[in-house]
Each structure stands twice: as C-alpha cells, then as structure tokens.
C-alpha cells in the first residue's frame, strides 16, 4: 500500500506539466511518454470510476453530498494502486466541503503545489472553460467556483484563486513543496531538481534533463497536435496554448489588471505577482 502525494494547483497552473515530468522521470523514458497515458501513472481526485464501487448513481447525477459521503473511502482506495508513492492530481482547495475534507490526510504523505500568476491564469481559462475574459476574472474570485459532475468526473471545488493558493501554502510544512510556474519556465533544471530532492530522488543529470525535455511545452503541444489529448475540454481548440509568462501585459486592459490585483492582492504579493504600477 502506498501513500498519496497530491499534485495540487488551481486550474491552468501547470499541473499537467508536472505530471508529465514525473511520468517521464520515474519510467526513465527514452522517448516522450504518451500524453494520453498520464493516468497510468497519476490518478485524478475527481475521476468518477472510483466512486462506482460504492454507489450505482450515474456520475452525472451524483450530488455533492453523495460524493462527499464516499470521498474518504475512494481516496483510501487510491493507496492500493502502487506499493510506494501514489501521485494524485487535484484542483480542490485544501479544506472541507459539505462537512467532509476534500483530501484524506490519513493516507497522505505530502504534496507539491504549483502556483501561477493569476494575470496569466485568466488568459488560459478563457479557451479552457469557453468563457470571456471578464467571466474568467469573475470565476477567479468566486468562492464557489468548480465543476459540475459529468459522466467521467464528480464535482470539483476550486474556490477562488486566492483561497486555493492560501489553503495549500499558508502554513509551512516540510511535507509540502510549493513551486512557482514561472520558476519552472525560467530555471527548469534547478526547479525540477528541487522537486526530485523533495521526493528523495537522486536521478543522474542525464535522466533529469531528459525528463525535463520530454515534458517541455514544445513536446507536449506537438503530441497533442499529432494524437489529440483526451483531457482537452469539449469545445476548446487545444489544451496546450502558449506555455509562456506575462502575456497579460499585451492582452489585459489596465482596468482588468486592477480588478485582479484588487481581488487577490494578498496572495499575489506573497509570490511577487503584483505589477509595480499596481503596488
């Protein structure tokens, strides 16, 4: 039986990138792992198939209350998948919903949390959720933000960007590693080395750099263009868009920047995301 390591983030913040890196690293892949086989290595906290063991209710009809009833048991079942660490993707905030924790800490060993500048997050949310930019800004501040149940997933509960970030990172914990998306972009070798150190791994330089290369945005985008990606939302042209930082400078109006900073200043300041003109 393994213990869970959560790969946590607000949506569109680099979670899939981290999953792909770890998959390539752990399998010591000699060529990029198949993007559509990520769930062979990492589980999803909202995957409905796990709930079918406990209830005949179709996933799309499952209420939040019913999902909450089985959530702790489902997450305990996750530990049976691998004998050692079990990596689980989650966009849930760290807290309770319907009186039940969103994460089973009794079977948790640790977590890696990825935080990304919300000024760029909103740009990625627009095509992903098929919303306008102003609607994405509203979702970013919505404490009830999340997804509705579907045939394949139970509801997810993000909360606002600030709540999501704060819930995971406000209390220092040696079992938690917080990574900035921007650092992964700018200093990939040093940043991903921090990840392997946190996990107690000592890969060779060649193995580490190969995993970084095989999980690069360029490689992931090329894979999606060639074979598609099953996690691409219906209606979205692509899952992987730009993979850059500070695109907001050319795409957000000053008023939109001000709204986001006003909504999320405390957490943005913690991670150095408040532009000088809005300090």
């Amino acid at each position: 039986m393994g213990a869970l390591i959560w790969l946590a983030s607000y949506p569109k913040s680099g979670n899939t990138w981290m999953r792909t890196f770890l998959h390539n690293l752990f399998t010591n892949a000699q060529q990029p792992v198949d993007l559509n086989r990520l769930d062979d290595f990492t589980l999803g906290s909202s995957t409905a198939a796990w709930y079918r063991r406990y209830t005949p209710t179709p996933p799309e009809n499952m209420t939040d209350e019913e999902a909450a009833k089985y959530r702790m048991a489902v997450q305990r079942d996750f530990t049976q998948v691998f004998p050692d660490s079990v990596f689980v993707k989650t966009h849930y905030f760290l807290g309770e919903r319907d009186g039940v924790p969103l994460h089973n800490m009794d079977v948790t060993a640790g977590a890696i949390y990825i935080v990304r500048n919300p000024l760029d997050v909103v740009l990625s949310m627009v095509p992903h959720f098929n919303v306008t930019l102003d609607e994405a800004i509203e979702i970013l501040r919505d404490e009830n933000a999340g997804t509705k149940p579907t045939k394949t997933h139970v509801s997810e509960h993000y909360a606002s960007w600030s709540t999501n970030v704060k819930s995971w990172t406000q209390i220092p914990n040696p079992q938690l590693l917080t990574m900035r998306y921007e650092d992964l972009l700018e200093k990939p070798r040093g940043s991903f080395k921090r990840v392997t150190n946190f996990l107690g791994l000592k890969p060779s330089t060649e193995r580490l750099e190969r995993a970084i290369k095989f999980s690069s945005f360029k490689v992931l985008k090329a894979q999606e263009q060639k074979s598609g990606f099953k996690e691409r939302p219906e209606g979205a042209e692509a899952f992987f868009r730009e993979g850059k930082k500070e695109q907001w400078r050319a795409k957000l109006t000053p008023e939109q920047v001000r709204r986001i900073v006003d909504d999320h200043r405390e957490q943005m300041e913690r991670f150095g995301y408040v532009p000088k003109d809005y300090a």
Side-chain angles (χ1 to χ4, degrees):
M1 184 175 77
L4 307 187
I5 297 179
W6 299 100
L7 303 179
S9 72
Y10 189 84
K12 306 310 295 178
S13 299
N15 202 305
T16 301
W17 184 12
M18 183 62 69
R19 292 160 60 205
T20 308
F21 165 75
L22 291 172
H23 196 168
N24 278 285
L25 181 75
F26 272 84
T27 58
N28 197 19
Q30 300 304 301
Q31 59 184 9
V33 296
D34 185 347
L35 188 60
N36 286 301
R37 299 197 64 178
L38 281 181
D39 50 9
D40 289 353
F41 179 75
T42 53
L43 308 182
S45 60
S46 64
T47 302
W50 292 89
Y51 287 80
R52 293 188 180 127
R53 302 180 178 192
Y54 295 97
T55 174
T57 304
E60 64 270 29
N61 297 332
M62 195 177 301
T63 64
D64 288 350
E65 291 77 13
E66 185 170 11
K69 180 179 179 181
Y70 302 115
R71 187 180 301 123
M72 294 298 97
V74 163
Q75 293 180 7
R76 186 172 294 278
D77 289 346
F78 290 169
T79 66
Q80 304 298 320
V81 177
F82 300 114
D84 299 312
S85 299
V86 181
F87 293 97
V88 186
K89 167 191 173 182
T90 181
H91 290 314
Y92 293 128
F93 70 94
L94 185 60
E96 293 188 356
R97 180 81 178 199
D98 301 309
V100 177
L102 292 169
H103 302 86
N104 189 339
M105 289 299 149
D106 289 340
V107 294
T108 292
I112 299 172
Y113 188 84
I114 310 168
V115 59
R116 184 186 185 191
N117 192 334
L119 297 170
D120 282 322
V121 170
V122 290
L123 299 179
S124 293
M125 289 171 64
V126 170
H128 188 82
F129 293 118
N130 191 25
V131 296
T132 67
L133 192 47
D134 286 326
E135 287 171 338
I137 292 172
E138 287 302 308
I139 293 172
L140 206 70
R141 70 192 298 270
D142 184 1
E143 295 298 348
N144 292 309
T147 62
K148 295 181 180 180
T150 67
K151 291 182 179 180
T152 56
H153 291 81
V154 298
S155 298
E156 289 186 293
H157 306 291
Y158 313 147
S160 69
W161 179 86
S162 287
T163 293
N164 196 292
V165 171
K166 183 178 180 179
S167 70
W168 282 97
T169 67
Q170 65 179 330
I171 301 175
N173 188 319
Q175 299 306 113
L176 168 72
L177 175 67
T178 300
M179 301 295 301
R180 292 197 333 154
Y181 178 94
E182 296 77 16
D183 294 334
L184 293 168
L185 276 177
E186 292 184 334
K187 300 171 285 187
R189 182 189 292 184
S191 296
F192 283 109
K193 188 69 164 60
R194 284 187 62 203
V195 174
T196 60
N197 288 343
F198 172 74
L199 296 173
L201 305 174
K202 296 181 179 179
S204 66
T205 299
E206 178 187 2
R207 183 170 179 172
L208 176 67
E209 293 187 350
R210 188 168 57 245
I212 293 172
K213 177 182 177 180
F214 287 169
S215 58
S216 68
F217 183 84
K218 180 180 179 180
V219 170
L220 298 182
K221 190 172 181 66
Q223 281 197 49
E224 182 182 18
Q225 290 175 338
K226 180 180 179 180
S227 306
F229 184 31
K230 64 184 180 181
E231 295 184 24
R232 175 181 62 84
E234 185 176 348
E237 291 185 4
F239 185 93
F240 299 100
R241 290 178 54 257
E242 303 282 347
K244 300 177 181 179
K245 68 168 192 170
E246 296 198 346
Q247 290 189 301
W248 63 268
R249 294 186 182 278
K251 297 184 178 182
L252 294 181
T253 67
E255 188 273 337
Q256 288 171 328
V257 174
R258 172 60 63 189
R259 285 168 57 194
I260 295 171
V261 172
D262 286 348
D263 288 340
H264 306 286
R265 180 179 294 277
E266 180 181 350
Q267 299 308 311
M268 289 180 71
E269 286 181 341
R270 288 182 61 211
F271 292 96
Y273 291 146
V274 177
K276 291 181 180 179
D277 293 345
Y278 297 84

